[in-house]
Amino acid sequence: GQQLNQSPQSMFIQEGEDVSMNCTSSSIFNTWLWYKQDPGEGPVLLIALYKAGELTSNGRLTAQFGITRKDSFLNISASIPSDVGIYFCGPSARQLTFGSGTQLTVLP
Amino acid sequence: GAVVSQHPSWVICKSGTSVKIECRSLDFQATTMFWYRQFPKQSLMLMATSNEGSKATYEQGVEKDKFLINHASLTLSTLTVTSAHPEDSSFYICSARRQGSYVEQYFGPGTRLTVT
């Protein structure tokens, strides 16, 4: 069956540091989405990637869709306290498949 | 744009009772809506996909007679948890796919269900 691995599982960083997380899949996907979930709330779409190799930015966030369509990374630059939350990768075919999430903690 | 609401945001019910959760797309039409459940510190697990005007498609292991889904209009889908048990306690989240969009899903804020 399809395997989706998201890493790291959790991160503790100092405010102002850059962050990088990634997802790899055993399957090829046409689209890759990145979401952030705050405690007790639904996920919010951060970035959507549609083309292999595509590099897209949204403010301090940058994400890239791997050439093989089996992986993606998300970078956050100059982290701030409100970046705290769980980040999910969501490769999509007919429906979304969620990674296990990366719990980000930003220390002041 | 692309706002999805859920009601109620939290609910406490007794074992054996039924609970209905509503999911609405407020500023767009959604031909497809999805229902997820999430346990603490875990990822979202897809329960079912509902298309407006047709029967929902349930994921393997999800009891269709227990989790009744109705997608009566392009802006409303409901999930009814029938004969709720404590193990049904969870965070239920819906999402909606904008009509004409193949991919992007927008999530509601979730409903915290506690069955006592």
Side-chain angles (χ1 to χ4, degrees):
Chain A
Q2 169 191 296
Q3 290 187 341
L4 183 62
N5 296 307
Q6 184 171 350
S7 64
Q9 188 174 24
S10 63
M11 301 182 73
F12 293 81
I13 62 169
Q14 295 291 139
E15 183 177 354
E17 289 184 346
D18 298 342
V19 174
S20 184
M21 61 192 76
N22 68 84
C23 279
T24 59
S25 169
S26 58
S27 301
I28 294 174
F29 289 94
N30 291 325
T31 308
W32 210 292
L33 310 176
W34 283 94
Y35 287 87
K36 181 193 177 194
Q37 185 179 27
D38 291 328
E41 299 184 15
V44 174
L45 180 64
L46 299 175
I47 290 181
L49 302 163
Y50 299 100
K51 298 179 182 178
E54 179 181 352
L55 182 69
T56 297
S57 293
N58 178 8
R60 294 180 296 107
L61 307 178
T62 302
Q64 186 162 29
F65 197 175
I67 290 292
T68 64
R69 291 185 172 273
K70 291 185 176 182
D71 62 293
S72 176
F73 72 74
L74 174 70
N75 287 344
I76 305 173
S77 62
S79 59
I80 60 178
S82 61
D83 290 334
V84 167
I86 304 177
Y87 292 80
F88 291 102
C89 64
S92 178
R94 178 176 62 86
Q95 62 200 31
L96 268 178
T97 302
F98 278 95
S100 54
T102 295
Q103 173 72 62
L104 177 63
T105 302
V106 180
L107 305 172
Chain B
V3 179
V4 177
S5 70
Q6 277 184 244
H7 179 80
S9 56
W10 60 270
V11 57
I12 301 173
C13 70
K14 293 185 177 181
S15 282
T17 61
S18 295
V19 174
K20 180 185 285 188
I21 303 170
E22 293 186 349
C23 176
R24 294 181 185 272
S25 55
L26 299 184
D27 52 359
F28 66 99
Q29 293 186 325
T31 48
T32 305
M33 289 186 170
F34 305 84
W35 287 95
Y36 297 81
R37 66 187 298 182
Q38 184 179 34
F39 293 106
K41 299 187 184 300
Q42 293 188 21
S43 188
L44 286 75
M45 297 300 295
L46 180 65
M47 298 175 66
T49 302
S50 77
N51 292 294
E52 186 265 337
S54 63
K55 290 184 179 180
T57 302
Y58 290 80
E59 295 301 300
Q60 191 172 10
V62 178
E63 299 175 58
K64 62 179 66 176
D65 294 330
K66 181 169 184 60
F67 298 99
L68 302 179
I69 292 173
N70 183 279
H71 192 159
S73 76
L74 286 173
T75 59
L76 173 65
S77 177
T78 60
L79 168 68
T80 301
V81 183
T82 62
S83 186
H85 289 171
E87 57 264 33
D88 297 325
S89 298
S90 187
F91 193 50
Y92 291 87
I93 308 174
C94 73
S95 71
R97 179 179 289 164
R98 190 196 300 263
Q99 188 178 33
S101 170
Y102 181 64
V103 176
E104 295 173 15
Q105 289 180 217
Y106 300 93
F107 286 81
T111 297
R112 173 72 60 191
L113 170 63
T114 301
V115 184
T116 61

